[in-house]
C-alpha cells in the first residue's frame, strides 16, 4: 500500500519521536562501557545533540523528545550511590537549555521538553516555553510529568513525593496557570505596534490572569507576546486511573506502556472514552508506543547483535532502574538467584513479587528477568521492523517514541536503513507539512481546538466572537 | 600609549559587555516607532540575537549581557497598562532560553544571564546554568538580582515585594544553595568512567548537600557533572547598603551607577573595603560602568544625531520607567510643566521631589528632566569616545556595560568605528585569551579563588588537600 490511514479515518502520517535524555545512560543501561558506547559520555556537549537533531530531521522524524528526571534513582531512602556509580540516568542535565541551539540548527523538526510540575514555577515555565515557541517558530511541545522519584522531591523542599493522586491535582492547577498565560492573557490582535498612537500593545486586549488556587497565586499578564502555537503541543503519559483522566483531559498525544497491539487498542479506546467524557472529541487524543528495534541486514545478524548488546548491559544499573521505579532495593539480589527460590522467600515484598511475576514464561533467574525488561526486545531487518510498525498502526496507534537501542550513533543507522523502507510502505512521512509543530503533526492548528480545557479559559473569546458578529452584521 | 593597566597594577584588558534585554525597548524608550528602530520589533526571533552575538564577538566584546525583568512596570499598584501600551521593557522574554543558540553560533564571547532569586528554585537554576556552562564550554555568567517590581512579586505568589533588606537575606541563602551544588557536591575527580569497575561516578566523591535554611531545603547531589567553571562568573549590581555588602561578598564584577569617574573611584574603594572585610582580596571585585555613546564622524554630527534620537524617544515610556522604579505615578504630570511649579505643589510627594531635584541645573520642564535621564548623554567621534573611556579607566573602573543608544543595528556601528580606535589605544583587547570566560576576563581561574564564600563551602576540600599532602610525603 502507498498510503496509511489512522483508525479515525483521517489520512495523517504516523508520528515518530526521537526519544532521548541528556544523560549518558537513558535506556541502554551500562552501554557506555562498550567501545561503541563511549561517545555517550559526550552527552554534556552541544555537538552530539545538534548531530542528533539534524539526523532525525534528515529522517523526517517529527520531534526530538527530551525525557528528564530531576533527581536520582534510589535503592532505598536517600541511597542514590548505586545510581551515581552505574550512571543510571545520572548525570541528568537540563533538557530545555538545549532547545534554542537545536532549533537554530534545524528547520522543521519539533522539540518536546519534559518538565515536572515540581521543578519550576508555572509563571517561569510558561514564559520559557513561549520564548522557545518564538525562537523555534512554533516547534515546541511540553511533556507534562508529575515526578516519581523521592530524591526529586527532596531537591525541592519535600520529605518525599506528595501522594500520587495529589500530584495530579497539582498538575491540574499547574496546567491551568500555564493555559491562562498562554491562552487567556493576550487576545488575538493585542500586538498593534501603532507608532502614531505610541501603542505597541493594546492594553484593552491584554489581561491579568489573577489566578488564585491551592498552590499558586499568579497575577500576569503573560510577559511573552502571543507565540505561534500559544499552548505548545501537549504530550503526557499516565497509566494509573488519575493519570489516564489527566491525559484524557489534557494530552494531544499520550504515551502508552502497552506491550501488545491488542492492549494498546484497548488502552486507546479507554482514553478516548475518558476524553469524550471530558468534553473533547475522541480523535483529539492520540496514542504512541515505544519502538526500539535492533537493526540487522538479516534476521540472524540482528538477533546476534541483540544478544551481544544485551550482554554488554549492566545488570546493576538495571536493578537500580527498577529499584527507583518500585521503591524496593533490588540491587541486593544476586542475579543468578532462580525466580522459584525468590518466590519462596518469606521476605519477598509485594512489589518485588509483582516484578518477578511480570517476567515472561521460561525466564529462570532474576538476572534474566531484569534483562527481559530492556527496551530492545525486537530485532530484525528493516522490512521486519516495518511489519512490526504496521501491526501497531493497525491497532490504531498514531506513532512511536523511537528509543535508541544503544547510542546516539544508532540514529543514523535507523535513518539510513529503516526510514526508507517505512517511507516506501507509506508508514512514515517523506517530507514535512508546512506550519507549526501542531500543524505538522495533526494537520490542524496552529492552536488547540476550542473544546480543549485550555481554550475554555479564555474569558475574552466570547466577547471577541460577539464583536466579530456585530461587525459583520 | 599602547597598553593599559588596571589600578591594581595587573595588565588585563578592560571588560566590555554588550548589554541587551529580550524586549523591544530596553533603554531606548519608544525608539521602535522610528523608521530605524522598526527591527527592534523582531526581538522575539532568534536571527537578530545570533547577529548581535556574532557582531559583538567580531568586536572582541567579552560578554553578551542579558538583562531581564520578570514583571511589568506599574504606574501605581496593579496598573501596568501604560507599560504595555508603550512597550516599556515589555514584552520581556526569557533570556536564558537564548543562550545555547548563541553559544553554538560563537566561539569565545560569554553570556551573562540575569535571574532573580524570586523567579526560579535554586536547584533548577543551578542545574540550568551548569548545563549551559557545559554547552558553551565555560562561557556562562550569572547576574544575581533580587527583583524590584511588585508585578514580579505578584507573579510568584506575593502581594508585593518582600522588603529590600529581606530580599538580600533571601539572596544570600539562594546563592548558598547554588554554591553548594556547584562547588561542594562533586569533588574534583568524581567522574571516573571506569568500565571495568562499572563505575561512571565515584559515589565516595559525590555528596548530597542537605541544605536546610529559612526558605529552602535541598538534598542534592547536583545533577550536572562538574562544569568548566563550576560557579559561573558572578555579576551583581547593588547600590544600597545591603546591596553593596552583597556585592562585596559575592560579585566578581559589579555594575556601578556612578555618574562621574570621581564618584566611581569612591564607590569602588568602598566596595573593596567591604570585600576585604568579607575575607576577599580588594582586587577580587571589579567595577564596571555604563557606556552609551552616540557615534558621529564629527562631533557636530554626533550631537545632531543625538538630538534627533532623543526627540524620537517616548516621554510616556520614560515616565513609566521612572514610575516603576520609584513607585509613584509620573505619567499624570504634563511634560510641559515647569519644575519650579512642581516644586511648589503641596501634593508633590517625596520620591517625585527627589526625582525633580536630581535634574541637572538649567533643566526647565518636567519633560526635559525625563529626557536628561536617557542613557545616551554622551555624543562624539570615536576618538572622543576613546577619551571618555580613558577617563573612566583612569579612575579604576575595569570596564563597561555598553548600552546601545538605539537599536540592535547600533552594534555594528560601534564595532566598525569605535572598537578599532579603542584597540589602537590599548583600551580594548584585540583577541580573546584562551580558556573559560573567567580565565578570559580575569586571566585567572577557571574556578573562583578559594577565598570566595562559594569555595569555603567545600567540606571535602581540606580532606582532599590532606590526601594530596600524604601522597606527596
Amino acid at each position: 500500500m502507498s498510503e496509511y490511514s489512522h483508525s479515525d479515518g483521517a489520512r495523517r502520517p504516523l508520528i515518530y519521536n526521537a526519544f532521548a535524555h541528556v544523560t549518558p545512560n537513558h535506556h541502554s543501561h551500562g552501554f557506555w562501557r562498550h567501545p561503541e558506547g563511549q561517545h555517550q559520555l559526550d552527552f554534556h556537549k552541544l555537538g552530539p545533540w545538534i548531530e542528533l537533531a539534524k539526523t532525525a530531521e534528515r529522517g523526517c522524524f517529527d520531534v526530538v523528545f527530551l525525557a528528564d528526571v530531576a533527581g536520582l534513582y534510589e535503592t532505598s531512602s536517600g541511597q542514590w550511590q548505586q545510581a551515581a556509580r552505574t550512571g543510571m540516568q545520572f548525570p541528568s542535565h537540563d533538557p530545555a537549555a538545549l532547545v534554542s541551539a537545536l532549533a537554530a540548527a534545524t528547520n522543521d523538526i519539533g522539540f518536546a521538553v519534559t518538565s515536572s510540575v515540581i521543578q519550576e514555577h508555572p509563571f517561569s515555565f510558561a514564559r520559557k516555553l513561549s520564548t522557545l515557541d518564538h525562537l523555534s517558530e512554533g516547534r515546541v511541545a511540553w511533556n507534562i510529568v508529575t515526578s516519581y522519584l523521592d530524591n526529586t522531591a527532596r531537591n525541592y523542599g519535600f520529605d518525599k513525593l506528595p501522594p500520587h493522586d495529589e500530584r495530579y491535582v497539582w498538575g491540574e492547577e499547574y496546567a491551568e496557570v500555564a493555559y491562562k498565560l498562554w491562552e487567556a492573557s493576550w487576545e488575538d490582535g493585542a500586538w498593534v505596534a501603532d507608532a502614531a498612537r505610541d501603542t505597541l500593545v493594546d492594553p484593552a486586549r491584554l489581561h491579568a490572569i489573577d489566578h488564585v488556587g491551592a498552590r499558586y497565586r499568579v497575577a500576569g499578564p503573560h510577559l511573552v507576546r502571543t507565540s505561534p502555537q500559544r499552548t505548545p503541543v501537549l504530550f503526557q503519559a499516565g497509566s494509573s486511573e488519575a493519570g489516564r483522566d489527566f491525559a484524557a483531559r489534557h494530552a494531544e498525544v499520550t504515551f502508552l506502556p502497552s506491550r501488545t497491539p491488542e492492549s494498546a487498542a484497548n488502552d486507546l479506546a479507554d482514553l478516548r472514552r475518558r476524553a469524550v467524557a471530558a468534553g473533547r472529541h475522541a480523535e483529539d487524543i492520540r496514542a504512541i508506543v515505544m519502538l526500539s528495534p535492533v537493526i540487522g541486514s538479516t534476521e540472524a545478524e540482528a538477533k546476534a547483535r541483540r544478544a551481544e548488546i544485551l550482554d554488554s548491559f549492566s545488570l546493576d544499573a538495571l536493578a537500580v532502574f527498577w529499584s527507583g521505579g518500585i521503591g524496593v532495593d533490588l540491587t541486593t539480589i544476586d542475579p543468578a538467584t532462580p525466580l522459584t527460590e525468590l518466590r519462596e522467600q518469606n521476605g519477598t515484598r509485594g512489589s518485588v513479587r509483582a516484578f518477578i511475576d511480570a517476567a515472561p514464561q521460561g525466564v529462570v533467574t532474576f538476572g534474566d528477568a531484569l534483562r527481559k525488561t530492556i527496551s530492545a526486545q525486537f530485532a530484525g531487518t528493516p522490512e521486519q521492523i516495518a511489519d512490526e510498525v504496521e501491526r501497531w498502526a493497525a491497532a490504531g496507534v498514531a506513532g512511536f517514541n523511537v528509543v535508541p537501542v544503544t547510542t546516539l550513533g544508532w540514529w543514523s543507522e535507523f535513518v539510513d536503513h529503516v526510514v526508507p523502507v517505512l517511507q516506501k510502505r507509506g508508514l512514515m512521512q517523506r517530507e514535512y507539512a508546512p506550519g507549526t509543530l501542531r500543524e505538522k503533526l495533526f494537520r490542524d492548528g496552529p492552536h488547540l481546538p476550542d473544546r480543549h480545557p485550555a481554550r475554555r479559559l479564555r474569558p475574552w473569546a466570547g466577547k471577541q466572537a460577539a464583536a466579530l458578529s456585530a461587525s459583520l452584521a
Side-chain angles (χ1 to χ4, degrees), chain A:
Chain A
M1 72 183 154
S2 63
E3 279 191 311
Y4 206 82
S5 305
H6 281 233
S7 60
D8 67 0
R11 292 187 168 262
R12 290 172 309 215
L14 291 167
I15 295 165
Y16 291 82
N17 297 332
F19 198 50
H21 184 168
V22 192
T23 183
N25 230 8
H26 186 196
H27 284 291
S28 55
H29 306 299
F31 197 71
W32 61 269
R33 303 169 309 168
H34 192 279
E36 278 180 45
Q38 287 288 308
H39 69 255
Q40 291 182 227
L41 303 183
D42 286 339
F43 77 99
H44 57 297
K45 296 181 183 170
L46 194 46
W49 292 99
I50 288 180
E51 193 187 320
L52 161 59
K54 285 182 161 179
T55 303
E57 188 167 78
R58 179 163 63 80
C60 274
F61 272 77
D62 293 278
V63 172
V64 175
F65 192 105
L66 296 163
D68 189 36
V69 288
L72 276 149
Y73 287 68
E74 294 174 332
T75 49
S76 59
S77 183
Q79 300 302 303
W80 40 258
Q81 285 77 6
Q82 298 272 47
R85 177 176 68 77
T86 58
M88 215 303 297
Q89 299 189 3
F90 178 80
S92 171
H93 292 193
D94 180 358
L98 277 165
V99 171
S100 69
L102 304 188
T106 54
N107 296 304
D108 288 292
I109 200 164
F111 302 98
V113 174
T114 298
S115 188
S116 166
V117 300
I118 208 171
Q119 76 191 70
E120 191 165 11
H121 191 284
F123 187 81
S124 294
F125 177 73
R127 186 182 178 212
K128 175 169 76 180
L129 256 67
S130 293
T131 300
L132 289 173
D133 202 43
H134 279 295
L135 296 176
S136 66
E137 298 182 343
R139 292 188 278 148
V140 170
W142 174 25
N143 179 34
I144 316 171
V145 297
T146 57
S147 296
Y148 57 93
L149 300 174
D150 278 332
N151 180 247
T152 302
R154 290 201 310 280
N155 289 331
Y156 294 96
F158 298 89
D159 290 324
K160 56 180 186 169
L161 279 180
H164 183 272
D165 287 6
E166 199 180 294
R167 298 206 301 277
Y168 278 107
V169 174
W170 185 350
E172 285 287 343
E173 186 182 352
Y174 192 96
E176 185 180 327
V177 173
Y179 292 158
K180 285 174 174 171
L181 292 164
W182 288 327
E183 300 284 347
S185 185
W186 289 64
E187 292 189 30
D188 294 335
W191 179 270
V192 292
D194 181 338
R197 286 169 49 223
D198 196 3
T199 299
L200 186 65
V201 176
D202 177 359
R205 285 183 277 183
L206 183 73
H207 307 281
I209 65 164
D210 290 326
H211 173 88
V212 179
R215 285 192 186 263
Y216 300 110
R217 284 194 304 147
V218 181
H222 193 34
L223 293 179
V224 183
R225 62 178 285 198
T226 305
S227 78
Q229 300 185 111
R230 287 188 174 266
T231 299
V233 172
L234 298 170
F235 283 91
Q236 203 265 346
S239 51
S240 67
E241 279 295 307
R244 284 170 183 239
D245 278 337
F246 189 89
R249 271 178 56 75
H250 298 279
E252 297 176 272
V253 182
T254 185
F255 179 64
L256 295 180
S258 325
R259 295 200 159 220
T260 65
E262 297 68 36
S263 65
N266 288 335
D267 289 341
L268 178 58
D270 174 68
L271 275 168
R272 289 187 154 170
R273 271 192 300 274
R274 291 172 198 251
V276 169
R280 300 173 71 197
H281 291 184
E283 64 269 25
D284 287 350
I285 187 163
R286 302 125 191 117
I288 58 175
V289 294
M290 188 167 72
L291 180 69
S292 186
V294 181
I295 310 161
S297 57
T298 64
E299 186 177 340
E301 183 193 307
K303 286 195 191 304
R305 198 144 177 238
R306 176 167 176 272
E308 189 213 327
I309 288 167
L310 296 201
D311 272 349
S312 67
F313 272 40
S314 162
L315 286 181
D316 285 3
L318 267 169
V320 171
F321 178 77
W322 288 106
S323 299
I326 68 181
V328 176
D329 187 359
L330 302 178
T331 63
T332 56
I333 304 173
D334 181 349
T337 315
L339 291 186
T340 47
E341 190 180 309
L342 278 177
R343 282 203 185 90
E344 284 158 16
Q345 282 174 13
N346 283 333
T348 303
R349 282 196 280 164
S351 43
V352 178
R353 184 62 191 251
F355 178 82
I356 294 167
D357 291 346
Q361 277 209 316
V363 169
V364 177
T365 65
F366 179 67
D368 283 342
L370 283 172
R371 276 193 199 90
K372 278 288 171 194
T373 65
I374 291 170
S375 319
Q377 294 308 316
F378 186 81
T381 64
E383 287 291 345
Q384 287 174 316
I385 294 165
D387 293 343
E388 182 76 0
V389 162
E390 206 159 303
R391 287 205 309 132
W392 286 95
V397 310
F400 302 90
N401 261 354
V402 182
V403 184
V405 171
T406 54
T407 72
L408 294 175
W410 179 87
W411 290 106
S412 33
E413 206 182 333
F414 189 91
V415 165
D416 291 338
H417 299 294
V418 182
V419 165
V421 176
L422 293 172
Q423 287 176 330
K424 198 169 153 202
R425 287 164 65 167
L427 295 166
M428 189 172 187
Q429 67 187 357
R430 288 170 183 276
E431 58 182 3
Y432 290 96
T436 62
L437 178 60
R438 183 171 281 113
E439 292 167 283
K440 287 180 206 297
L441 285 174
F442 311 135
R443 308 298 143 99
D444 196 10
H447 301 141
L448 283 166
D450 284 348
R451 54 194 174 265
H452 189 280
R455 297 286 280 185
R456 287 189 243 133
L457 291 165
R458 295 175 306 158
W460 45 269
K463 188 182 75 178
Q464 202 171 51
L468 185 67
S469 304
S471 74
L472 295 173

